[in-house]
Amino acid sequence: MAWLILLLAGLLEIVWAVGLKYTAGFTKPWPSIITLSAMIASFVLLGHALRTLPLGVAYSVWVGIGVVGTVIFGAWLFDESLSLWKIVSILLILLGIVGLKLTS
């Protein structure tokens, strides 16, 4: 159950990271409310997952999910470039997340 909570926390990290782009420096109310809500929920869920999971593993997985998702959504929504090396790097992060899960 802690892993599922951590996954949800990571997905919400993607929401708030992408949401930051839409807030225009927190000058747009609705994107700002959504972004701040996702931030709070993500941190609360991470804290809940940390009751069971080791800190280093949970935090690394949470950040990894956020990094990979943010890069993918940045490319999709904002036409940010995805070079071969960026894709290889994302795959290495995913491999690290899987490795941390398998060894915990």
Side-chain angles (χ1 to χ4, degrees):
M1 185 60 139
W3 283 102
L4 187 59
I5 291 168
L6 184 60
L7 174 64
L8 184 56
L11 294 174
L12 285 169
E13 185 188 5
I14 298 167
V15 171
W16 69 256
V18 172
L20 283 173
K21 186 83 166 176
Y22 290 103
T23 67
F26 292 100
T27 60
K28 295 183 178 179
W30 284 112
S32 297
I33 290 168
I34 292 166
T35 299
L36 289 171
S37 297
M39 281 180 179
I40 292 167
S42 181
F43 280 109
V44 167
L45 289 171
L46 174 61
H48 188 70
L50 284 171
R51 292 179 181 174
T52 306
L53 300 174
L55 172 64
V57 171
Y59 185 74
S60 299
V61 169
W62 180 70
V63 169
I65 292 168
V67 167
V68 170
T70 302
V71 169
I72 291 169
F73 276 93
W76 179 45
L77 297 173
F78 308 118
D79 293 320
E80 295 174 359
S81 67
L82 265 183
S83 68
L84 175 63
W85 287 113
K86 285 183 184 178
I87 293 169
V88 168
S89 298
I90 290 169
L91 291 173
L92 289 171
I93 292 169
L94 287 172
L95 182 64
I97 290 170
V98 170
L100 287 170
K101 166 69 172 109
L102 292 175
T103 59
S104 330

